[in-house]
């Protein structure tokens, strides 16, 4: 009996010593454990209103739009993101533009849309600037009634922008706080825009803020339907948002208004091209669009060919190194013993102790599964 009890006692003692050694100098709030994985800031950059961002992701700190977003967009482009199948809802064209659209309905969340727009005789650089240029968008997109840049990074081109969009008369206007950034690989641009939190911009009853928002593009040169030369530009768009109205009603509205909105793209692009040809100065947004993060084509191919399971594993990647899950190789009793002491050390609250004991049980189960 003593031979069986002795190893257990030794493990518990080691766990207690580990727990005491790791004891922080000040109490750690429970919210820390909930927010650490999602907290993020933008890269360092002084802005016109005196604000600043803190850091570039490869230095170890997350940004609001990260390499993880790039990987997700790449998987969407090759339809390997693990989501449901797409079904086509539109196929229209004009002499200088063709447009196709698909939709899918995930089990949870709003409807998702995928579209392919091809502009004849247009370069990826011009199309990239056109869609990024909020100042010019106000001239051709009649749904956008207000747009301003809150902060930006001169190093990566990442931006934080504030939009207000006009909705039909039976809905109030909607506002968006959007983080966005562009990656460049060869002649392709991967442009990510998504809703992000912004505590410095207070909420109001009107306009209603849209928190869940995702709208990202892959812009690249493709063969023209006229002469098979790569003089056309393809835009693959992936979009979804929770506008705060029933999703079935939202789907009906999108279906009815889609072509009316899309057919403004081409005349807007041609006007933009003429202004640029005449030497119009680049707007603040267009300048930011020309600052993007370079990635190799091999990297893009590697991401596109990575299986979904490997993509999940890569979510623990921080910068250029992997963070190994703790507890996988730690003896069960060591973890439990350390958690006991830590729970008693941090504070006397039931919530913190419950959380830590739960973590200990999770690690213990992980160790047991690994040993099977």
């Amino acid at each position: 009996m003593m031979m069986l009890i002795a190893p257990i006692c030794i493990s518990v003692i080691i766990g207690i010593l580990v727990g005491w050694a790791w004891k922080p100098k000040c109490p750690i709030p429970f919210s820390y454990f909930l927010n650490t994985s999602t907290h993020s800031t933008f890269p360092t950059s002084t802005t016109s209103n005196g604000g600043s961002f803190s850091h570039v992701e490869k230095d170890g700190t997350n940004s609001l739009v990260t390499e993880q977003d790039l990987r997700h967009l790449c998987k969407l482009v090759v339809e390997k993101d693990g989501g449901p199948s797409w079904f086509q809802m539109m196929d229209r064209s004009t002499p200088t533009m063709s447009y196709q659209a698909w939709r899918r309905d995930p089990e949870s969340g709003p409807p998702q849309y995928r579209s392919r727009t091809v502009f004849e005789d247009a370069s990826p650089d011009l199309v990239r600037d056109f869609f990024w240029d909020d100042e010019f968008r106000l001239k051709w997109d009649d749904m956008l009634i207000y747009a301003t840049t809150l902060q930006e990074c001169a190093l990566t081109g990442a931006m934080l922008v504030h939009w207000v969009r006009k909705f039909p008369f039976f809905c109030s206007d909607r506002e968006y706080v959007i983080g966005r950034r562009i990656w460049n690989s060869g002649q392709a641009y991967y442009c990510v825009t998504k809703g992000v939190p912004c505590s410095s911009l207070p909420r109001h009853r009107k306009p209603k803020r849209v928190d869940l928002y995702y709208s990202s593009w892959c812009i690249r040169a493709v063969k023209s339907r006229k002469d098979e030369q790569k003089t056309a530009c393809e835009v693959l768009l992936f979009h979804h948002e929770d506008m705060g109205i029933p999703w079935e009603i939202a789907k009906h509205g999108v279906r009815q208004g889609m072509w009316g909105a899309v057919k403004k793209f081409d005349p807007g692009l041609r006007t933009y091209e003429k202004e640029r040809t005449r030497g119009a100065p680049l707007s603040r947004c267009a300048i930011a669009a020309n600052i993007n993060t370079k990635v190799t084509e091999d990297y893009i191919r590697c991401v596109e060919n990575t299986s979904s399971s490997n993509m999940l594993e890569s979510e623990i990647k921080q910068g250029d190194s992997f963070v190994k899950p703790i507890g996988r190789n730690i003896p069960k009793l060591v973890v439990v013993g350390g958690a006991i002491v830590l729970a008693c050390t941090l504070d006397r609250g039931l919530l913190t102790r419950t959380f830590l004991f739960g973590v200990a049980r999770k690690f213990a189960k992980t160790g047991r599964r690994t040993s099977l």
Side-chain angles (χ1 to χ4, degrees), residues 15-74:
I16 291 173
L17 293 175
V18 171
W20 280 109
W22 188 61
K23 181 179 67 174
K25 295 182 180 180
C26 59
I28 301 176
F30 178 67
S31 59
Y32 171 87
F33 295 97
L34 297 179
N35 294 335
T36 299
S37 62
T38 57
H39 175 72
S40 56
T41 55
F42 256 74
T44 303
S45 173
T46 302
T47 61
S48 59
N49 60 3
S52 66
F53 291 122
S54 68
H55 169 75
V56 177
E57 59 185 1
K58 286 188 179 298
D59 293 338
T61 306
N62 293 324
S63 61
L64 289 175
V65 184
T66 69
E67 189 178 327
Q68 178 180 334
D69 296 299
L70 169 63
R71 295 197 300 269
H72 177 62
L73 176 56
C74 290

Side-chain angles (χ1 to χ4, degrees), residues 172-210:
S172 63
D173 295 339
R174 298 295 193 267
E175 73 164 350
Y176 303 77
V177 181
I178 298 170
R180 62 190 194 184
R181 183 175 172 185
I182 300 175
W183 283 264
N184 170 228
S185 177
Q187 285 297 304
Y189 295 98
Y190 294 83
C191 312
V192 175
T193 75
K194 65 177 187 177
V196 296
C198 183
S199 58
S200 62
L201 196 65
R203 294 174 180 268
H204 301 283
R205 192 173 67 87
K206 291 184 179 181
K208 180 180 176 64
R209 184 169 299 181
V210 175

Side-chain angles (χ1 to χ4, degrees), residues 194-320:
K194 65 177 187 177
V196 296
C198 183
S199 58
S200 62
L201 196 65
R203 294 174 180 268
H204 301 283
R205 192 173 67 87
K206 291 184 179 181
K208 180 180 176 64
R209 184 169 299 181
V210 175
D211 293 310
L212 177 56
Y213 175 82
Y214 181 85
S215 190
S216 299
W217 312 279
C218 174
I219 301 173
R220 57 194 179 188
V222 293
K223 291 181 179 180
S224 169
R225 60 188 177 186
K226 297 183 299 183
D227 55 13
E228 292 296 306
Q229 299 298 312
K230 277 197 171 184
T231 56
C233 180
E234 174 190 68
V235 180
L236 296 175
L237 168 68
F238 303 89
H239 180 96
H240 66 267
E241 61 180 287
D242 189 350
M243 297 176 284
I245 60 179
W247 293 337
E248 289 302 321
I249 295 177
K251 286 194 292 187
H252 178 75
V254 169
R255 186 166 55 248
Q256 295 300 316
M258 179 177 286
W259 179 242
V262 169
K263 66 183 181 181
K264 297 174 184 176
F265 291 173
D266 193 58
L269 176 64
R270 307 306 168 180
T271 302
Y272 189 67
E273 183 178 24
K274 290 177 182 178
E275 290 194 6
R276 293 281 292 270
T277 302
R278 288 198 295 263
L282 292 179
S283 70
R284 183 177 178 182
C285 293
I287 292 173
N290 284 266
I291 305 171
N292 33 74
T293 305
K294 305 292 184 182
V295 292
T296 66
E297 295 180 32
D298 288 340
Y299 172 85
I300 295 297
R301 282 192 293 268
C302 179
V303 171
E304 291 176 345
N305 294 326
T306 302
S307 66
S308 299
S309 59
N310 289 337
M311 285 293 291
L312 291 174
E313 182 181 348
S314 68
E315 298 308 319
I316 63 174
K317 185 179 180 183
Q318 302 292 334
D320 289 331

Side-chain angles (χ1 to χ4, degrees), residues 70-83:
L70 169 63
R71 295 197 300 269
H72 177 62
L73 176 56
C74 290
K75 303 301 284 187
L76 286 170
V77 168
V78 294
E79 300 184 49
K80 293 182 179 179
D81 66 310

